[in-house]
């Protein structure tokens, strides 16, 4: 029961000073003397020989040179000549690495810091306004040039360039309209 007139405790009592925290493993845990005395080292693993993946590009080229065209012939060629990709040790990049200067740094260069003085003076707004003014002035000048160059075509000038085709007179009439 809770003590009278005192708030109820919401925690557990801790064990005594002789208690050790953690998990004790009987066979391997010998404490500090065991750790100081010798090191438990793992045995090195032997490198397993890894089978390189197939080089399908070379095999396909060889199959085509041999005159195979169907999928069945290709599969038979793959079984007959199993060409594997070469190890990376023999790659062109490892044999002759690219020649770069000694002070060359890989990656993207950092962005230059924003000039706060230009921000406070509204310099970017002024540059944008100048660009817009130059753009509108160029558009106006182009529009005036187009208006001056363009000549209005009337029907007369159009007919001079392309006259109407002459009407062909038809000599055939309906028989009932012959006497009219």
């Amino acid at each position: 029961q809770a003590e009278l007139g005192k708030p109820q405790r919401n925690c557990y009592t801790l064990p005594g000073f002789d208690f050790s925290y953690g998990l004790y493993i009987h066979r391997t845990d010998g404490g500090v003397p065991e750790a100081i005395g010798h090191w438990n080292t793992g045995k090195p693993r032997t490198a397993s020989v890894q089978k390189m993946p197939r080089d399908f590009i070379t095999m396909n080229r060889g199959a085509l040179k041999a005159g195979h065209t169907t999928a069945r012939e290709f599969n038979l060629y793959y079984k007959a000549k199993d060409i594997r990709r070469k190890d990376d040790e023999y790659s062109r990049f490892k044999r002759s690495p690219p020649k770069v200067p000694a002070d060359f740094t890989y990656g993207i260069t950092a962005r230059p810091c924003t000039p706060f003085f230009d921000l406070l003076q509204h310099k970017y707004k002024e540059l944008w306004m100048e660009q817009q003014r130059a753009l509108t002035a160029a558009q106006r000048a182009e529009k005036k040039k187009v208006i001056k160059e363009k000549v209005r075509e009337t029907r007369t000038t159009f007919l001079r360039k392309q006259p109407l085709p002459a009407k062909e007179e038809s000599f055939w009439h309906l028989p009932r309209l012959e006497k009219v």
Side-chain angles (χ1 to χ4, degrees):
Q1 282 188 344
E3 298 175 19
L4 190 63
K6 291 185 179 178
Q8 191 173 5
R9 294 180 184 190
N10 59 353
C11 59
Y12 299 105
T13 56
L14 296 175
F17 291 107
D18 59 339
F19 182 79
S20 60
Y21 292 93
L23 183 66
Y24 182 80
I25 303 170
H26 292 284
R27 283 185 297 125
T28 59
D29 197 8
V32 176
E34 179 86 17
I36 292 174
H38 65 279
W39 295 98
N40 288 333
T41 57
K43 294 177 185 175
R45 292 183 181 176
T46 58
S48 61
V49 178
Q50 183 179 331
K51 208 171 185 185
M52 295 303 288
R54 284 176 151 189
D55 191 0
F56 284 101
I57 296 171
T58 310
M59 286 194 293
N60 287 347
R61 193 180 302 124
L64 285 173
K65 283 180 183 176
H68 301 301
T69 53
T70 63
R72 186 173 185 282
E73 291 172 344
F74 268 70
N75 281 329
L76 291 171
Y77 185 85
Y78 293 161
K79 288 176 186 171
K81 299 198 176 180
D82 188 21
I83 301 170
R84 298 286 171 169
R85 291 178 64 191
K86 290 186 174 70
D87 196 9
D88 288 339
E89 291 179 19
Y90 303 110
S91 71
R92 182 182 57 81
F93 186 76
K94 284 203 174 181
R95 277 183 286 157
S96 59
K99 292 174 178 65
V100 292
D103 59 345
F104 184 76
T105 307
Y106 288 95
I108 302 169
T109 56
R111 228 179 96 201
C113 46
T114 309
F116 284 103
F117 196 68
D118 292 344
L119 288 175
L120 293 173
Q121 285 187 330
H122 301 289
K123 188 174 183 180
Y124 296 108
K125 183 188 98 173
E126 295 299 326
L127 287 171
W128 184 80
M129 292 292 284
E130 285 177 24
Q131 287 175 353
Q132 294 302 315
R133 285 186 202 113
L135 186 68
T136 52
Q139 286 175 347
R140 266 194 222 122
E142 189 177 318
K143 195 182 274 187
K144 284 182 183 177
K145 189 188 291 183
V146 168
I147 290 172
K148 286 179 182 177
E149 289 175 358
K150 192 174 181 183
V151 177
R152 299 258 180 200
E153 264 193 32
T154 59
R155 183 166 170 77
T156 311
T157 56
F158 182 74
L159 288 173
R160 279 185 196 148
K161 288 179 185 173
Q162 298 175 351
L164 289 172
K167 287 186 179 179
E168 294 180 12
E169 192 172 333
S170 89
F171 296 105
W172 182 83
H173 298 288
L174 287 171
R176 61 182 173 191
L177 300 175
E178 281 294 321
K179 297 179 183 176
V180 174

